[in-house]
Amino acid sequence: MGRKKIELKRIEDMCNRHVTFCKRRSGLIKKARELSVLCDVEVGLVVFTNRGRLYEFCSGDSLLNIIKRYQSHFEGRSQSQSPNEVDTKEHEESEETLMVSFGKLLQTIQSHVEEPDFKKLNVNDMVHLENQLEASLDKIKSQRVEAMMENSSWIDNMDMAIAMVDSQL
Amino acid sequence: MGRKKIELKRIEDMCNRHVTFCKRRSGLIKKARELSVLCDVEVGLVVFTNRGRLYEFCSGDSLLNIIKRYQSHFEGRSQSQSPNEVDTKEHEESEETLMVSFGKLLQTIQSHVEEPDFKKLNVNDMVHLENQLEASLDKIKSQRVEAMMENSSWIDNMDMAIAMVDSQL
DNA sequence: GCACCTATTTATAATAA
DNA sequence: TTTATTATAAATAGGTG
């Protein structure tokens, strides 16, 4: 709905993409609010930019409440995949290999970080490292998700586990 | 956008309300998908009817991941400050502090990875580590983007830099 | 980044099936 | 509930300040 019809794919021009993001983000939030008011339903919405910026909307007090409600919706059953955009990834890579390469990657990054002039690290190198780290993270996540599928009681002791890790860090 | 303009308040006629809900719900989800594709952002959306029925959308694998990311966004600060439509950007953190904490995080993960029974690491711990790593990555990225803004010639020697890093890894 | 503009495209209200 | 129609209201692409 504009001067021109646009394709449904990532807008490549970064500047244009950002302008469109600003406009459509506010449009989406407006629609979410209208739906919640007109139809008397609870709506929760979160948007993460790739820079890690967060935008959110919720119809009630706090999104955390809606999230709780969402999570409790799945308690006691095996986690089913969300119907949208089902992921078909390749899980062929062995866990062993995956972890070794991830470890090496971490070492490389660590050595960079430990350098006193890390801040002067070439920005291009950082981009590359970020991308590799992200890719590794994705693979590990997908493996974890698989593990979760097999052990559906994982959510029960979540709080305890988080507390434990917190104390370690 | 219809034959008539309607007020922004709860539709009292239950039948009409439900028809409107069906139409607008699908419209909202369509908009959410478009935003995520066009602007390359992560979007999570949940809708609860007052009868407890759930409708959801997310741009990635699972809403649970987006929720985790959302929750980790608020870790380590005063809780319960999540007002609607708030742009939560905190770039106040000094680069120095940022890199130190990132380094510590890497060390922690590294020690986990190096353990022989890393594969048996509790899945919940891994989720937590993933989230922290992701958050750190986001912050570093945004700082890098800022740096790029100031030095716009960065793209020129991108290929060379990537080749260099490749040979290091 | 935001506010405004205008030509177009989209969403949808009313209605019926 | 979903689907189709169609007149109309809204959203928004591209642009300017």
Side-chain angles (χ1 to χ4, degrees):
Chain A
M1 43 278 226
R3 295 298 182 98
K4 243 177 149 183
K5 179 170 181 164
I6 57 168
E7 267 188 292
L8 240 80
K9 61 170 197 174
R10 181 191 143 104
I11 297 170
E12 290 306 332
D13 177 53
M14 183 171 147
C15 187
N16 184 17
R17 185 168 71 241
H18 199 254
V19 171
T20 296
F21 174 65
C22 288
K23 290 181 176 178
R24 278 178 174 262
R25 167 170 44 81
S26 65
L28 184 64
I29 288 176
K30 187 180 176 189
K31 288 276 183 195
R33 170 176 289 115
E34 288 178 357
L35 183 68
S36 71
V37 171
L38 291 172
C39 304
D40 195 25
V41 293
E42 256 189 293
V43 178
L45 173 68
V46 291
V47 178
F48 276 107
T49 70
N50 37 26
R51 286 197 210 171
R53 229 169 261 202
L54 167 68
Y55 300 89
E56 60 178 300
F57 165 79
C58 74
S59 52
D61 307 336
S62 89
L63 241 181
L64 292 172
N65 286 338
I66 294 182
I67 285 173
K68 268 187 204 164
R69 195 170 170 188
Y70 177 77
Q71 286 172 330
S72 67
H73 216 82
F74 296 108
E75 268 169 20
R77 11 173 163 164
S78 61
Q79 298 288 316
S80 63
Q81 294 193 342
S82 82
N84 311 330
E85 335 271 312
V86 179
D87 60 331
T88 359
K89 286 174 191 156
E90 70 295 353
H91 292 300
E92 292 86 34
E93 208 163 355
S94 81
E95 230 172 334
E96 203 63 45
T97 312
L98 187 64
M99 290 317 171
V100 169
S101 66
F102 185 58
K104 279 184 185 166
L105 181 58
L106 285 175
Q107 271 179 352
T108 305
I109 295 172
Q110 185 116 42
S111 67
H112 278 297
V113 171
E114 279 165 352
E115 279 187 67
D117 53 356
F118 172 65
K119 295 198 289 188
K120 290 173 188 165
L121 181 65
N122 187 313
V123 86
N124 302 301
D125 301 11
M126 199 60 219
V127 171
H128 196 74
L129 292 172
E130 279 171 19
N131 289 336
Q132 293 214 255
L133 191 52
E134 208 155 54
S136 294
L137 208 53
D138 281 343
K139 286 182 188 167
I140 288 177
K141 274 188 180 178
S142 67
Q143 290 210 337
R144 174 178 52 69
V145 170
E146 269 184 62
M148 275 165 44
M149 299 301 183
E150 292 165 12
N151 175 18
S152 60
S153 66
W154 64 276
I155 206 170
D156 297 334
N157 47 4
M158 173 71 91
D159 290 333
M160 203 168 24
I162 285 177
M164 195 190 79
V165 179
D166 270 334
S167 65
Q168 279 182 27
L169 295 177
Chain B
M1 40 273 233
R3 296 296 184 97
K4 241 177 147 183
K5 180 170 181 163
I6 58 168
E7 265 189 293
L8 238 80
K9 62 170 197 175
R10 181 191 144 104
I11 296 169
E12 291 305 334
D13 177 52
M14 184 170 145
C15 187
N16 184 16
R17 184 168 72 242
H18 201 251
V19 171
T20 296
F21 174 66
C22 288
K23 290 181 177 179
R24 278 179 174 263
R25 167 170 45 82
S26 64
L28 184 64
I29 288 176
K30 187 180 175 187
K31 288 275 184 197
R33 172 176 286 113
E34 287 177 356
L35 182 68
S36 71
V37 171
L38 291 172
C39 303
D40 195 23
V41 294
E42 257 189 295
V43 177
L45 172 68
V46 291
V47 178
F48 276 109
T49 70
N50 37 27
R51 288 192 207 162
R53 211 181 298 238
L54 168 67
Y55 300 88
E56 62 177 298
F57 166 78
C58 75
S59 52
D61 302 338
S62 90
L63 242 180
L64 290 172
N65 284 338
I66 293 182
I67 286 173
K68 288 282 170 301
R69 195 169 171 189
Y70 176 78
Q71 287 171 330
S72 67
H73 213 84
F74 296 107
E75 271 168 20
R77 5 173 168 166
S78 57
Q79 288 291 327
S80 78
Q81 51 143 359
S82 59
N84 304 340
E85 293 170 58
V86 173
D87 173 2
T88 343
K89 54 186 168 196
E90 75 296 352
H91 287 302
E92 294 84 30
E93 211 163 351
S94 79
E95 229 172 333
E96 204 64 46
T97 312
L98 186 65
M99 290 317 171
V100 168
S101 66
F102 185 59
K104 279 185 186 165
L105 181 58
L106 285 175
Q107 271 179 351
T108 305
I109 295 173
Q110 184 114 43
S111 68
H112 278 296
V113 172
E114 278 165 352
E115 278 186 68
D117 52 358
F118 171 65
K119 295 198 289 187
K120 289 173 188 167
L121 182 66
N122 187 314
V123 85
N124 301 301
D125 302 10
M126 199 58 218
V127 171
H128 196 73
L129 291 172
E130 280 171 17
N131 288 335
Q132 292 215 255
L133 192 51
E134 206 156 56
S136 294
L137 208 53
D138 281 341
K139 285 183 189 168
I140 287 177
K141 275 189 181 178
S142 68
Q143 289 209 338
R144 173 178 52 69
V145 170
E146 271 181 60
M148 275 164 45
M149 297 303 182
E150 291 164 12
N151 174 20
S152 59
S153 67
W154 63 277
I155 205 168
D156 298 334
N157 47 4
M158 172 71 90
D159 289 334
M160 201 169 26
I162 286 178
M164 195 191 78
V165 178
D166 270 335
S167 65
Q168 278 182 28
L169 294 178

